[in-house]
Coordinates of all heavy atoms in Angstrom, one line a residue:
L43 N -5.1 -0.9 19.0 CA -3.9 -0.3 18.5 C -3.5 1.0 19.3 O -4.3 1.9 19.2 CB -3.9 -0.1 17.0 CG -2.7 0.6 16.4 CD1 -1.4 -0.2 16.6 CD2 -3.0 0.8 14.9
N44 N -2.4 1.0 19.9 CA -1.9 2.2 20.6 C -0.5 2.4 20.1 O 0.4 1.6 20.4 CB -1.9 1.9 22.1 CG -1.5 3.2 22.9 OD1 -0.4 3.7 22.7 ND2 -2.3 3.6 23.8
I45 N -0.3 3.5 19.4 CA 0.9 3.8 18.7 C 2.1 4.0 19.8 O 3.2 3.5 19.6 CB 0.8 5.0 17.8 CG1 -0.1 4.7 16.7 CG2 2.2 5.5 17.3 CD1 -0.4 5.9 15.7
D46 N 1.8 4.6 20.9 CA 2.8 4.8 21.9 C 3.3 3.4 22.5 O 4.5 3.2 22.7 CB 2.3 5.7 23.1 CG 2.1 7.1 22.6 OD1 2.8 7.6 21.7 OD2 1.2 7.8 23.2
S47 N 2.3 2.5 22.7 CA 2.7 1.2 23.1 C 3.5 0.4 22.1 O 4.4 -0.3 22.5 CB 1.4 0.4 23.5 OG 0.7 1.0 24.5
E48 N 3.1 0.6 20.8 CA 3.9 -0.1 19.8 C 5.3 0.4 19.7 O 6.2 -0.4 19.6 CB 3.2 0.1 18.4 CG 1.8 -0.6 18.3 CD 1.9 -2.1 18.4 OE1 2.8 -2.7 17.9 OE2 1.0 -2.6 19.1
A49 N 5.5 1.7 19.9 CA 6.8 2.2 19.9 C 7.6 1.7 21.1 O 8.8 1.4 20.9 CB 6.8 3.8 19.9
E50 N 7.0 1.7 22.2 CA 7.6 1.2 23.4 C 8.0 -0.3 23.3 O 9.1 -0.7 23.7 CB 6.7 1.4 24.6 CG 7.4 1.2 26.0 CD 6.4 1.6 27.1 OE1 5.7 2.6 27.0 OE2 6.3 0.8 28.0
I51 N 7.1 -1.1 22.7 CA 7.4 -2.5 22.5 C 8.7 -2.7 21.6 O 9.6 -3.5 21.9 CB 6.2 -3.3 21.9 CG1 5.1 -3.4 23.0 CG2 6.6 -4.6 21.4 CD1 3.8 -3.8 22.4
A52 N 8.7 -1.9 20.5 CA 9.8 -1.9 19.6 C 11.1 -1.5 20.2 O 12.1 -2.2 20.1 CB 9.5 -1.1 18.4
L53 N 11.1 -0.4 21.0 CA 12.3 0.0 21.6 C 12.8 -0.9 22.7 O 14.0 -1.2 22.8 CB 12.1 1.4 22.2 CG 11.9 2.6 21.2 CD1 11.5 3.8 21.9 CD2 13.2 2.8 20.4
D54 N 11.9 -1.4 23.5 CA 12.3 -2.4 24.6 C 12.9 -3.7 23.9 O 13.8 -4.2 24.4 CB 11.1 -2.7 25.5 CG 10.7 -1.6 26.4 OD1 11.5 -0.6 26.5 OD2 9.6 -1.6 26.9
S55 N 12.2 -4.1 22.9 CA 12.7 -5.4 22.2 C 14.0 -5.2 21.6 O 14.9 -6.1 21.6 CB 11.6 -5.8 21.2 OG 10.4 -6.0 21.8
K56 N 14.3 -4.0 21.0 CA 15.6 -3.7 20.3 C 16.7 -3.8 21.4 O 17.7 -4.4 21.1 CB 15.6 -2.4 19.7 CG 16.9 -2.1 18.9 CD 16.7 -0.9 18.0 CE 17.9 -0.5 17.3 NZ 18.6 -1.5 16.6
V57 N 16.4 -3.3 22.6 CA 17.4 -3.4 23.6 C 17.6 -4.8 24.1 O 18.7 -5.3 24.3 CB 17.0 -2.5 24.8 CG1 17.9 -2.7 26.0 CG2 17.0 -1.0 24.4
A58 N 16.5 -5.6 24.2 CA 16.5 -7.0 24.7 C 17.2 -7.9 23.7 O 18.0 -8.8 24.1 CB 15.1 -7.5 25.0
F59 N 17.0 -7.6 22.4 CA 17.6 -8.5 21.3 C 19.0 -8.1 21.0 O 19.7 -8.8 20.2 CB 16.8 -8.4 20.1 CG 15.3 -8.9 20.2 CD1 14.3 -8.4 19.4 CD2 15.0 -9.8 21.2 CE1 13.0 -8.8 19.5 CE2 13.7 -10.3 21.3 CZ 12.7 -9.8 20.5
E60 N 19.5 -7.0 21.4 CA 20.8 -6.4 21.0 C 21.9 -7.5 21.1 O 22.1 -8.1 22.1 CB 21.2 -5.2 21.8 CG 22.4 -4.4 21.2 CD 22.6 -3.1 21.9 OE1 21.7 -2.7 22.7 OE2 23.6 -2.5 21.6
G61 N 22.6 -7.7 19.9 CA 23.7 -8.7 19.8 C 23.3 -10.1 19.7 O 24.1 -11.0 19.7
N62 N 21.9 -10.4 19.7 CA 21.5 -11.7 19.6 C 20.4 -11.9 18.5 O 19.2 -11.9 18.7 CB 20.8 -12.1 21.0 CG 20.4 -13.5 21.0 OD1 20.8 -14.4 20.2 ND2 19.5 -13.9 22.0
L63 N 20.9 -12.0 17.3 CA 20.1 -12.1 16.1 C 19.1 -10.9 16.0 O 17.9 -11.1 15.7 CB 19.3 -13.4 16.0 CG 20.2 -14.7 16.0 CD1 19.3 -15.9 16.1 CD2 21.0 -14.7 14.6
E64 N 19.6 -9.7 16.4 CA 18.7 -8.5 16.5 C 17.8 -8.3 15.3 O 16.6 -8.1 15.4 CB 19.6 -7.3 16.8 CG 18.9 -6.1 17.1 CD 19.8 -4.9 17.3 OE1 21.0 -5.1 17.7 OE2 19.3 -3.8 17.2
D65 N 18.4 -8.2 14.1 CA 17.7 -7.9 12.9 C 16.6 -8.9 12.7 O 15.4 -8.6 12.4 CB 18.6 -7.8 11.7 CG 19.4 -6.6 11.7 OD1 19.2 -5.6 12.5 OD2 20.4 -6.5 10.9
H66 N 16.9 -10.2 12.8 CA 16.0 -11.3 12.5 C 14.8 -11.2 13.5 O 13.6 -11.3 13.1 CB 16.7 -12.6 12.6 CG 15.8 -13.8 12.4 ND1 15.2 -14.1 11.2 CD2 15.3 -14.7 13.3 CE1 14.5 -15.2 11.3 NE2 14.5 -15.5 12.6
K67 N 15.1 -11.0 14.8 CA 14.1 -11.0 15.8 C 13.2 -9.8 15.7 O 12.0 -9.8 16.0 CB 14.7 -11.1 17.2 CG 15.3 -12.5 17.5 CD 15.8 -12.6 18.9 CE 16.3 -14.0 19.2 NZ 16.8 -14.2 20.5
M68 N 13.8 -8.6 15.3 CA 13.0 -7.4 15.2 C 12.0 -7.6 14.0 O 10.9 -7.1 14.1 CB 13.9 -6.2 15.0 CG 14.6 -5.8 16.2 SD 13.5 -5.3 17.6 CE 12.8 -3.8 17.0
K69 N 12.5 -8.2 12.9 CA 11.6 -8.5 11.8 C 10.4 -9.4 12.2 O 9.3 -9.2 11.8 CB 12.4 -9.1 10.6 CG 13.3 -8.1 9.9 CD 14.1 -8.7 8.8 CE 15.1 -7.8 8.2 NZ 16.0 -8.4 7.2
E70 N 10.8 -10.4 12.9 CA 9.7 -11.4 13.4 C 8.7 -10.6 14.3 O 7.5 -10.8 14.2 CB 10.3 -12.5 14.2 CG 11.0 -13.6 13.3 CD 11.5 -14.7 14.1 OE1 11.6 -14.7 15.3 OE2 11.9 -15.7 13.4
L71 N 9.2 -9.8 15.2 CA 8.4 -9.0 16.1 C 7.5 -8.1 15.3 O 6.3 -8.0 15.6 CB 9.2 -8.2 17.1 CG 8.4 -7.2 18.0 CD1 7.5 -8.0 19.0 CD2 9.3 -6.3 18.7
A72 N 8.0 -7.4 14.3 CA 7.3 -6.5 13.5 C 6.1 -7.2 12.8 O 5.0 -6.7 12.8 CB 8.2 -5.8 12.5
L73 N 6.4 -8.4 12.2 CA 5.3 -9.1 11.5 C 4.3 -9.6 12.5 O 3.1 -9.6 12.2 CB 6.0 -10.3 10.7 CG 6.7 -9.9 9.5 CD1 7.4 -11.1 8.9 CD2 5.8 -9.2 8.4
E74 N 4.7 -10.0 13.7 CA 3.8 -10.4 14.7 C 2.8 -9.3 15.1 O 1.6 -9.5 15.1 CB 4.5 -10.9 15.9 CG 3.7 -11.3 17.1 CD 4.5 -11.5 18.4 OE1 5.6 -12.2 18.2 OE2 4.2 -11.0 19.4
R75 N 3.3 -8.1 15.3 CA 2.5 -6.9 15.6 C 1.6 -6.5 14.4 O 0.4 -6.2 14.6 CB 3.4 -5.7 16.0 CG 4.4 -5.9 17.1 CD 3.8 -6.5 18.4 NE 2.8 -5.6 18.9 CZ 2.0 -5.9 20.0 NH1 2.1 -7.0 20.6 NH2 1.1 -5.0 20.4
V76 N 2.1 -6.6 13.2 CA 1.3 -6.3 12.0 C 0.1 -7.2 11.9 O -1.0 -6.7 11.7 CB 2.2 -6.4 10.8 CG1 1.4 -6.5 9.5 CG2 3.2 -5.3 10.7
R77 N 0.4 -8.5 12.1 CA -0.7 -9.5 11.9 C -1.7 -9.4 13.1 O -2.9 -9.6 12.9 CB -0.1 -10.9 11.8 CG 0.6 -11.0 10.5 CD 1.2 -12.4 10.3 NE 1.9 -12.5 9.1 CZ 3.1 -12.9 8.9 NH1 3.8 -13.4 10.0 NH2 3.7 -12.9 7.7
L78 N -1.2 -9.0 14.3 CA -2.1 -8.9 15.4 C -3.2 -7.8 15.2 O -4.3 -7.9 15.6 CB -1.3 -8.5 16.7 CG -2.0 -8.2 18.0 CD1 -2.6 -9.5 18.5 CD2 -1.1 -7.5 19.0
H79 N -2.8 -6.7 14.5 CA -3.7 -5.6 14.2 C -4.3 -5.7 12.8 O -5.1 -4.8 12.4 CB -2.9 -4.3 14.3 CG -2.5 -4.1 15.8 ND1 -3.4 -3.9 16.8 CD2 -1.2 -4.0 16.3 CE1 -2.7 -3.7 17.9 NE2 -1.4 -3.8 17.7
G80 N -4.1 -6.8 12.1 CA -4.8 -7.1 10.8 C -4.2 -6.6 9.5 O -4.8 -6.8 8.5
W81 N -3.0 -6.0 9.5 CA -2.4 -5.6 8.3 C -1.6 -6.7 7.7 O -1.4 -7.8 8.3 CB -1.6 -4.4 8.5 CG -2.3 -3.1 8.4 CD1 -2.7 -2.4 7.3 CD2 -2.9 -2.4 9.6 NE1 -3.4 -1.3 7.7 CE2 -3.6 -1.3 9.0 CE3 -3.0 -2.6 10.9 CZ2 -4.3 -0.4 9.8 CZ3 -3.6 -1.7 11.7 CH2 -4.3 -0.6 11.2
H82 N -1.3 -6.6 6.4 CA -0.5 -7.6 5.7 C 1.0 -7.5 5.9 O 1.7 -8.5 5.9 CB -0.8 -7.6 4.2 CG -2.2 -8.0 3.9 ND1 -3.2 -7.1 3.5 CD2 -2.8 -9.2 3.9 CE1 -4.3 -7.7 3.3 NE2 -4.2 -9.0 3.5
N83 N 1.5 -6.3 6.0 CA 2.9 -6.1 6.1 C 3.2 -4.8 6.8 O 2.4 -4.0 7.1 CB 3.5 -6.0 4.6 CG 2.9 -5.0 3.7 OD1 2.8 -3.8 4.1 ND2 2.4 -5.5 2.6
T84 N 4.5 -4.6 7.1 CA 5.0 -3.4 7.9 C 4.8 -2.1 7.1 O 4.6 -1.1 7.7 CB 6.4 -3.6 8.3 OG1 7.2 -3.8 7.2 CG2 6.6 -4.7 9.3
Y85 N 4.9 -2.2 5.8 CA 4.7 -1.0 5.0 C 3.3 -0.4 5.2 O 3.1 0.8 5.5 CB 4.9 -1.3 3.5 CG 4.7 -0.2 2.6 CD1 5.5 0.9 2.5 CD2 3.6 -0.2 1.7 CE1 5.3 1.9 1.6 CE2 3.4 0.8 0.8 CZ 4.3 1.9 0.7 OH 4.1 2.9 -0.1
E86 N 2.2 -1.3 5.1 CA 0.9 -0.8 5.3 C 0.6 -0.4 6.7 O -0.1 0.7 7.0 CB -0.1 -2.0 5.0 CG -0.1 -2.4 3.5 CD -1.0 -3.6 3.3 OE1 -1.6 -4.2 4.3 OE2 -1.1 -4.1 2.2
F87 N 1.2 -1.1 7.6 CA 1.0 -0.8 9.1 C 1.6 0.6 9.4 O 0.9 1.4 10.1 CB 1.7 -1.9 9.9 CG 1.4 -1.9 11.4 CD1 0.2 -1.6 11.9 CD2 2.5 -2.1 12.2 CE1 0.0 -1.6 13.3 CE2 2.3 -2.1 13.6 CZ 1.1 -1.9 14.1
S88 N 2.8 0.8 9.0 CA 3.5 2.1 9.3 C 2.8 3.3 8.6 O 2.6 4.3 9.2 CB 5.0 2.0 8.9 OG 5.1 1.8 7.6
K89 N 2.3 3.1 7.4 CA 1.5 4.1 6.7 C 0.2 4.5 7.5 O -0.1 5.6 7.7 CB 1.2 3.7 5.3 CG 2.4 3.9 4.3 CD 2.0 3.8 2.9 CE 0.7 3.3 2.5 NZ 0.5 3.3 1.0
A90 N -0.5 3.4 8.0 CA -1.7 3.6 8.7 C -1.4 4.4 10.0 O -2.2 5.3 10.4 CB -2.4 2.3 9.0
M91 N -0.4 4.0 10.7 CA 0.0 4.7 12.0 C 0.4 6.1 11.7 O 0.0 7.0 12.4 CB 1.1 3.9 12.7 CG 0.6 2.7 13.4 SD 1.8 2.0 14.5 CE 3.1 1.5 13.5
G92 N 1.1 6.4 10.6 CA 1.4 7.7 10.2 C 0.2 8.6 9.9 O 0.1 9.7 10.4
E93 N -0.8 8.0 9.3 CA -2.1 8.7 9.1 C -2.8 9.1 10.4 O -3.3 10.1 10.6 CB -3.1 7.8 8.2 CG -2.8 7.8 6.8 CD -3.9 7.1 6.0 OE1 -5.0 7.0 6.5 OE2 -3.6 6.6 4.9
M94 N -2.7 8.1 11.3 CA -3.3 8.3 12.6 C -2.7 9.5 13.4 O -3.4 10.4 14.0 CB -3.2 7.1 13.5 CG -4.1 5.9 13.0 SD -3.8 4.5 14.0 CE -4.3 3.2 12.9
V95 N -1.3 9.6 13.3 CA -0.6 10.6 14.0 C -0.9 12.0 13.3 O -1.2 13.0 14.0 CB 0.9 10.4 14.0 CG1 1.7 11.6 14.4 CG2 1.2 9.2 14.8
I96 N -0.9 12.0 12.0 CA -1.2 13.3 11.3 C -2.7 13.7 11.6 O -2.9 14.9 11.9 CB -1.0 13.1 9.8 CG1 0.4 13.0 9.4 CG2 -1.6 14.3 9.0 CD1 0.7 12.5 8.0

Side-chain angles (χ1 to χ4, degrees):
L43 174 57
N44 181 304
I45 293 176
D46 292 331
S47 297
E48 293 300 319
E50 194 173 312
I51 290 168
L53 291 171
D54 290 348
S55 299
K56 183 164 177 54
V57 170
F59 298 153
E60 195 169 349
N62 184 18
L63 300 172
E64 182 181 343
D65 287 348
H66 177 71
K67 288 183 177 180
M68 287 302 289
K69 286 177 186 174
E70 284 182 348
L71 174 68
L73 288 174
E74 177 188 312
R75 303 306 299 174
V76 164
R77 291 182 182 131
L78 177 70
H79 295 296
W81 275 274
H82 293 105
N83 55 55
T84 54
Y85 177 70
E86 293 174 1
F87 187 45
S88 61
K89 282 194 344 180
M91 287 193 293
E93 281 188 24
M94 291 174 202
V95 170
I96 290 169

